[in-house]
Amino acid sequence: MDIATLRSRHPDHWMRATAIRALALDAVAAANSGHSGMPMGMADVATVLFEKHLKFDPKAPRWPDRDRFILSAGHGSMLIYALLHLTGYEDVTLEQIRNFRQWGAITAGHPEYGHVSGVETTTGPLGQGIANSVGFAMAEEHLRARWGAKLQDHYTYVIAGDGCLMEGVSQEAIGIAGRQKLSRLIVLWDDNGITIDGKVALSDVTDQKARFAASGWGVFSCDGHDPEDIDRAITAAKASPGPAMVACKTHIALGHAAQDTSKGHGALTDKAQLQAAKDGYGWPGGPFEVPAEIKAWWESLGARGGKARAEWEARLAALPAGKQAEFRRIFAGEAPAKLANAIRSVKKAAAEAPAKLATRSASEKVLTAVNPVMTETFAGSADLTGSNNTKTADLGVFTAEDRKGRYMYWGIREHGMAAAMNGMALHGGVRPYSGTFMAFTDYARPSMRLSALMGLPVVYVMTHDSIGLGEDGPTHQPVEHLAISRATPNTLVLRPADLVEVAECWEVALSQKSTPSVLALSRQSLAAVRTAHTNQNLSAKGAYVLAEATGKRRVILIATGSEVEIALKAREALEAEGIGTRVVSMPSMELFGAQDEAYRKRVLPAGPVRVAIEAGVRQGWDRWLLGERGREGKSAFIGMSTFGASAPYERLYKEFGITAEAAVAAAKAML
């Protein structure tokens, strides 16, 4: 690549883009860690995007009608940090750039949502950003249909690399986007042909342009170092009737000795080579120095967005007060006041007329009451609508023809679904929930982890939550999946026992602002266990005394979900023998663990033997059996230690020993 020619053709653009390259080189060298090559290669594309196309205001980073810019290739984080610093985001100071990848700095190795203004999503696990972007674009389409283009009218731009496009979730994402004709979604592919191991050809021969075209995308190309060609391609992409991909042919680590090599992917720290690259660029500044006129030009781009934002605020202010308040509420993630009343009504009706019901069906009853009053909910299922029971009659269906619809047929794309739900939550204005079988947590897991890491109140409706699904067998019977989700920080696992608890758990999940929830729901019908109405949300405590011992308390049975009725049957048998037995329903270990010591002590006092009953593995239960005043030798677990089997669920519970009789025997053996 002839750097001198690039400099001479577009001298002003060249120096502005080189500010990104220089900051990336300096920060990575100072940290002795990081990825220099991608920011150097994509600096021209990013400069044109920010100058010619992106609608943003550094003074209002959360402005609801801004364009969203997603760096899917998150390892190249110095690209976005440089852009944010140059355009005037107050928190991305030069000191933060100097402390790239260091303790206490917001400029982490990969961009982290919530740490840095202007970082729209946490990226680094490749493919996640492009998959998130589908949710961003869906949210924009839906909200534009609901609120009008005066309030929601923006694009989502993504920079993705070869690695992002190799990850399987990218295919799920582009398939969804193509089917939905998300014309406000534009992916800028950093087509540099290099991965960590070497040339892309070592591991892949995919024709990416043909692949995107086959998935319903408009496909465009440009020289990724020619600003006029970049502008032409992005302009054409914006006019596409569906989502668009722009193949930007670039050179990784442009102008450095490591250009076009796998070494250029990583940290370029050799001082002589670094200086030689800067000299070749014609860069006048020393380490972390940006000439004043170049910094001023970048800041002018940021200032430009202030006018557009002020005009938008005037349009919002012109709405009736009630609509303004509703718009602000949904973007603040606040539950509506009517939610509590809707939940109480469901609980009261359930207590007055107890019925045997699968908790997946109970969930549908709750959603039927909730969705009309919480109109920002956006539902879906990974091709299991009739099994997950996530669709209610009022939702309509989100399609290219009806953007007001609030139900999404995701197809068999658990990972893409979860990633897109993250994008919706990040965009704001919608509250997504969607379902699949709990065993397929495995397929959705990388995005579920990022929900927790970013603090997104996404709700995962995981039905068929145990061996209780029966004949489909061990491939579909989750045994370790409750433990997997419980082991994930900042995740609420909610496993309700009946319709009343389902209603309470939904109220908890829909009231969260910074925590995802996993609702574990049964396929099989369960007996009602809550038959006395109370306005109080007992499940919000995580665990509570469901049935008390009639005499001296000698046994405490702790159970969740479908096993609570087993615990009640075991209590009946023990009480018949004069053994005082308390039953504790524990729909959420996380919520119970968050209660104060006094409350936990009242629910789980010292003294009685303890038996936990759950159709899953023991992992996670020892805190409540051996800790919290429990004792070794005075506690037992009734559950799974192997995979399941294919048979009717009643036979499975008997064969695996998850029965009232087994609980009784375990308790009596310890007395």
Side-chain angles (χ1 to χ4, degrees):
M1 174 57 61
D2 184 355
I3 299 296
T5 301
L6 290 178
R7 287 174 56 186
S8 64
R9 283 179 180 170
H10 305 282
D12 291 339
H13 163 85
W14 174 260
M15 295 306 289
R16 293 160 183 169
T18 296
I20 298 171
R21 297 183 176 103
L23 286 173
L25 281 167
D26 290 339
V28 171
N32 198 33
S33 162
H35 302 81
S36 312
M38 193 281 278
M40 296 165 71
M42 284 296 280
D44 294 302
V45 174
T47 300
V48 172
L49 176 65
F50 272 64
E51 178 189 3
K52 302 286 189 181
H53 299 280
L54 198 71
K55 180 173 65 173
F56 69 105
D57 181 4
K59 303 300 182 188
R62 306 304 299 166
W63 168 32
D65 198 35
R66 68 194 181 279
D67 287 339
R68 271 57 168 186
F69 170 60
I70 296 169
L71 184 65
S72 189
H75 56 277
S77 56
M78 266 311 303
L79 177 71
I80 193 166
Y81 297 148
L83 287 163
L84 297 176
H85 169 68
L86 290 168
T87 53
Y89 284 77
E90 291 180 359
D91 56 342
V92 189
T93 63
L94 192 59
E95 189 64 19
Q96 290 289 350
I97 299 290
R98 288 179 182 275
N99 285 298
F100 177 56
R101 286 180 162 237
Q102 303 308 300
W103 176 261
I106 63 174
T107 46
H110 294 86
E112 295 187 34
Y113 170 77
H115 290 224
V116 186
S117 299
V119 169
E120 300 285 2
T121 181
T122 296
T123 55
L126 293 176
Q128 288 296 321
I130 188 173
N132 292 163
S133 75
V134 174
F136 277 90
M138 287 176 63
E140 190 276 339
E141 293 279 4
H142 176 64
L143 291 167
R144 179 155 37 88
R146 177 179 175 186
W147 292 93
K150 288 184 178 181
L151 291 186
Q152 290 288 279
D153 185 14
H154 52 264
Y155 285 83
T156 299
Y157 296 96
V158 184
I159 286 181
D162 293 300
C164 291
L165 302 191
M166 284 192 208
E167 288 287 359
V169 71
S170 72
Q171 182 57 44
E172 296 186 26
I174 70 172
I176 294 167
R179 170 64 184 87
Q180 292 297 329
K181 300 181 180 177
L182 300 177
S183 62
R184 303 299 183 90
L185 175 59
I186 297 174
V187 170
L188 305 168
W189 169 35
D190 179 16
D191 178 16
N192 62 42
I194 295 293
T195 66
I196 293 174
D197 279 351
K199 292 189 180 299
V200 168
L202 279 173
S203 54
D204 193 29
V205 295
T206 302
D207 182 336
Q208 295 292 354
K209 296 177 189 177
R211 174 190 170 210
F212 274 79
S215 298
W217 288 56
V219 176
F220 305 86
S221 300
C222 70
D223 177 341
H225 302 299
D226 180 338
E228 292 179 350
D229 203 35
I230 296 165
D231 182 38
R232 174 201 56 76
I234 295 175
T235 300
K238 289 166 73 173
S240 174
M245 185 269 264
V246 180
C248 306
K249 192 62 183 174
T250 63
H251 294 268
I252 198 167
L254 179 71
H256 191 278
Q259 178 183 307
D260 298 331
T261 70
S262 59
K263 180 174 171 51
H265 172 86
L268 304 179
T269 58
D270 182 276
K271 290 183 179 180
Q273 291 180 347
L274 188 156
Q275 190 57 50
K278 284 187 173 183
D279 291 343
Y281 297 154
W283 185 247
F288 299 103
E289 290 180 2
V290 177
E293 67 275 13
I294 294 175
K295 182 68 164 71
W297 179 85
W298 276 104
E299 289 180 354
S300 74
L301 301 186
R304 182 181 63 194
K307 181 176 182 292
R309 190 251 303 174
E311 291 169 350
W312 176 87
E313 288 178 341
R315 294 194 294 272
L316 178 63
L319 291 180
K323 285 193 173 183
Q324 282 189 58
E326 177 71 356
F327 187 88
R328 295 185 193 281
R329 179 189 69 77
I330 64 173
F331 270 90
E334 301 282 356
K338 292 181 180 179
L339 175 63
N341 286 334
I343 296 296
R344 281 195 294 268
S345 295
V346 172
K347 288 173 58 178
K348 192 171 188 297
E352 290 172 351
K356 193 168 186 179
L357 196 65
T359 51
R360 62 171 176 157
S361 300
S363 174
E364 184 179 14
K365 284 183 176 291
V366 176
L367 290 169
T368 298
V370 165
N371 282 332
V373 301
M374 197 168 186
T375 55
E376 66 269 30
T377 56
F378 193 105
S381 169
D383 201 53
L384 293 166
T385 296
S387 295
N388 299 147
N389 298 76
T390 45
K391 187 176 187 292
T392 58
D394 61 303
L395 292 178
V397 177
F398 180 86
T399 65
E401 296 73 36
D402 181 9
R403 299 304 198 189
K404 289 185 178 180
R406 295 162 55 200
Y407 192 83
M408 177 66 181
Y409 290 108
W410 294 106
I412 304 91
R413 300 184 179 104
E414 295 86 358
H415 196 179
M417 173 182 78
M421 284 201 292
N422 282 346
M424 288 181 166
L426 288 160
H427 180 281
V430 292
R431 186 177 278 268
Y433 73 84
S434 287
T436 186
F437 289 170
M438 177 162 269
F440 303 148
T441 297
D442 295 332
Y443 286 144
R445 164 73 184 158
S447 292
M448 294 176 72
R449 180 175 187 266
L450 285 170
S451 300
L453 182 62
M454 289 189 276
L456 305 178
V458 173
V459 182
Y460 295 96
V461 182
M462 299 302 202
T463 68
H464 298 58
D465 69 346
S466 73
I467 60 169
L469 68 87
E471 292 87 343
D472 274 346
T475 58
H476 285 52
Q477 293 168 0
V479 293
E480 74 274 35
H481 298 80
L482 285 165
I484 288 169
S485 289
R486 286 170 178 157
T488 306
N490 191 40
T491 299
L492 286 182
V493 180
L494 304 161
R495 191 166 189 249
D498 68 359
L499 176 52
V500 173
E501 283 197 358
V502 169
E504 292 181 338
C505 287
W506 265 114
E507 183 176 30
V508 168
L510 292 173
S511 299
Q512 298 303 309
K513 295 187 74 173
S514 57
T515 304
S517 300
V518 176
L519 268 170
L521 304 175
S522 74
R523 175 184 184 270
Q524 74 274 29
S525 294
L526 308 178
V529 300
R530 289 274 293 278
T531 55
H533 176 63
T534 174
N535 284 336
Q536 184 182 5
N537 188 325
L538 299 179
S539 298
K541 295 280 192 179
Y544 61 94
V545 177
L546 176 63
E548 187 53 283
T550 55
K552 180 183 177 183
R553 188 190 310 116
R554 300 178 66 196
V555 176
I556 298 177
L557 304 176
I558 316 167
T560 77
S562 46
E563 286 68 68
V564 172
E565 65 175 84
I566 293 174
L568 289 171
K569 289 176 183 176
R571 173 187 176 273
E572 186 179 352
L574 288 164
E575 289 275 347
E577 295 187 38
I579 300 170
T581 303
R582 166 185 283 187
V583 172
V584 171
S585 178
M586 187 178 282
S588 175
M589 292 183 179
E590 298 79 26
L591 290 174
F592 186 55
Q595 304 307 308
D596 60 41
E597 174 71 17
Y599 178 77
R600 299 201 311 273
K601 191 172 183 178
R602 287 199 300 274
V603 175
L604 295 179
V609 301
R610 299 179 185 180
V611 180
I613 313 168
E614 185 174 71
V617 298
R618 177 166 176 154
Q619 187 169 338
W621 274 102
D622 282 355
R623 175 177 178 182
W624 315 114
L625 292 174
L626 308 181
E628 297 284 339
R629 296 156 298 280
R631 293 172 293 163
E632 188 78 48
K634 293 294 184 180
S635 64
F637 178 72
I638 305 295
M640 297 294 293
S641 59
T642 67
F643 292 109
S646 178
Y649 79 89
E650 298 92 342
R651 182 65 180 269
L652 292 173
Y653 270 81
K654 181 179 179 181
E655 293 293 340
F656 286 106
I658 307 175
T659 62
E661 293 77 12
V664 168
K668 290 171 69 175
M670 295 184 290
L671 290 173

